[in-house]
C-alpha cells in the first residue's frame, strides 16, 4: 500500500507541469498537506478517562477545476493508555469544493470515501475491525502564511467519518485539523 501511495504522489507532483493552458485547471495545482491532532483523555464521548489519541494525516491532491480538488489521504491513529499503545489507519480518496475561488483564503467542503480498521463506539475503547468502510464529510479553510511563502497555507478544518458497515453500537470518528498545506504549480485565477 505504501508503494502505491508514494507512486501516486510522484505522479501528481511531476504531472503538475503538463497543464499550462490559460483556462485549463486540470493538474494546474498540486497540494500536499500534513496535520497532527491530539485529543486528551476524557474530552471526547468515545475516549475514556485514561485513553489519549493522536492522529497524523498526510494527503495529496490535484486541481480538476478552479473550484475542485481530488486527492488521497492516509490517517494514522495512535491511542494510548499508561501501559498500552495501539495504532490504526484510515485511508482513501477525497474531493474538496472551494466555495470562493480566486480569494486568498480558501473555504472548502470535503467528501471522502475511506477504508480502515479503526472502530469507535460509545460503550468501550476503540478497537480493531478490519475492512471497515467510512464516508467522510468536512469543512475547512486554507489561510495563506505569506510571511513564510505564498505557497504555504495553514489548514484549519474538521471531518466526521461515518462507518458504513452494518455493525451494532458504532459511532462516528471526528478529526480536528491544524496542519500545513503546500501548493505546487500555478495559482488558480
Amino acid at each position: 500500500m505504501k508503494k502505491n501511495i508514494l507512486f501516486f504522489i510522484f505522479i501528481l507532483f511531476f504531472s503538475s507541469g503538463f497543464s499550462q493552458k490559460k483556462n485549463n485547471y486540470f493538474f494546474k495545482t498540486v497540494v500536499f498537506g500534513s496535520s497532527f491532532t491530539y485529543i486528551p483523555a476524557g474530552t471526547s464521548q468515545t475516549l475514556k478517562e485514561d485513553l489519549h489519541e493522536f492522529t497524523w494525516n498526510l494527503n495529496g491532491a490535484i486541481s480538476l477545476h478552479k473550484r475542485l480538488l481530488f486527492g488521497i489521504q492516509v490517517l494514522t491513529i495512535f491511542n494510548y493508555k499508561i501501559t498500552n499503545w495501539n495504532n490504526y489507519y484510515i485511508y482513501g480518496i477525497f474531493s474538496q469544493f472551494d466555495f470562493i475561488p480566486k480569494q486568498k483564503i480558501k473555504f472548502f467542503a470535503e467528501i471522502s470515501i475511506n477504508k480502515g480498521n479503526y472502530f469507535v463506539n460509545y460503550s468501550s475503547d476503540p478497537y480493531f475491525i478490519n475492512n471497515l468502510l467510512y464516508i467522510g464529510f468536512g469543512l475547512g479553510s486554507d489561510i495563506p502564511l505569506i510571511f513564510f511563502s505564498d505557497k504555504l497555507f495553514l489548514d484549519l478544518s474538521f471531518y466526521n467519518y461515518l462507518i458504513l458497515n452494518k455493525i451494532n453500537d458504532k459511532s462516528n470518528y471526528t478529526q480536528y485539523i491544524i496542519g500545513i498545506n503546500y501548493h505546487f504549480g500555478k495559482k488558480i485565477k
Side-chain angles (χ1 to χ4, degrees):
M1 181 186 100
K2 289 181 183 179
K3 289 181 182 179
N4 292 339
I5 292 170
L6 290 174
F7 178 73
F8 184 72
I9 290 171
F10 177 80
I11 295 298
L12 286 177
F13 180 73
F14 287 103
S15 299
S16 65
F18 295 123
S19 176
Q20 301 302 323
K21 293 180 184 175
K22 184 176 179 183
N23 293 326
N24 186 0
Y25 298 100
F26 187 70
F27 274 110
K28 194 170 189 176
T29 301
V30 177
V31 178
F32 289 106
S34 180
S35 69
F36 185 74
T37 306
Y38 169 64
I39 300 175
T43 59
S44 166
Q45 281 188 311
T46 56
L47 292 180
K48 306 303 178 233
E49 290 297 322
D50 59 348
L51 186 66
H52 300 263
E53 181 176 279
F54 296 93
T55 303
W56 183 27
N57 184 336
L58 291 172
N59 57 71
I62 58 168
S63 60
L64 299 179
H65 182 269
K66 67 181 174 181
R67 292 181 177 260
L68 194 62
L69 287 174
F70 177 79
I72 60 171
Q73 66 181 357
V74 177
L75 286 77
T76 304
I77 303 159
F78 303 94
N79 284 343
Y80 80 92
K81 291 185 179 186
I82 293 173
T83 59
N84 189 23
W85 280 85
N86 289 312
N87 79 331
Y88 309 88
Y89 65 87
I90 297 174
Y91 65 92
I93 57 174
F94 68 89
S95 182
Q96 286 183 352
F97 180 80
D98 188 353
F99 290 114
I100 312 171
K102 302 182 182 181
Q103 300 299 316
K104 289 183 180 181
I105 297 177
K106 176 181 165 186
F107 295 101
F108 61 87
E110 179 176 305
I111 187 167
S112 65
I113 188 77
N114 305 278
K115 189 173 181 179
N117 66 359
Y118 187 57
F119 181 76
V120 290
N121 64 21
Y122 294 119
S123 60
S124 68
D125 288 344
Y127 56 90
F128 294 94
I129 294 183
N130 286 320
N131 298 315
L132 292 174
L133 294 175
Y134 312 81
I135 187 164
F137 302 96
L139 293 172
S141 65
D142 269 357
I143 301 167
L145 298 172
I146 51 178
F147 47 91
F148 290 116
S149 168
D150 63 343
K151 296 181 179 269
L152 191 64
F153 292 78
L154 176 65
D155 181 5
L156 299 173
S157 48
F158 72 92
Y159 301 99
N160 203 340
Y161 299 93
L162 306 172
I163 297 172
L164 298 176
N165 304 65
K166 292 183 179 182
I167 301 172
N168 292 332
D169 199 27
K170 62 186 173 184
S171 176
N172 55 338
Y173 170 63
T174 302
Q175 180 190 20
Y176 307 97
I177 300 281
I178 298 176
I180 297 292
N181 288 335
Y182 193 86
H183 294 225
F184 293 91
K186 303 260 184 183
K187 184 171 175 66
I188 294 177
K189 296 181 180 179

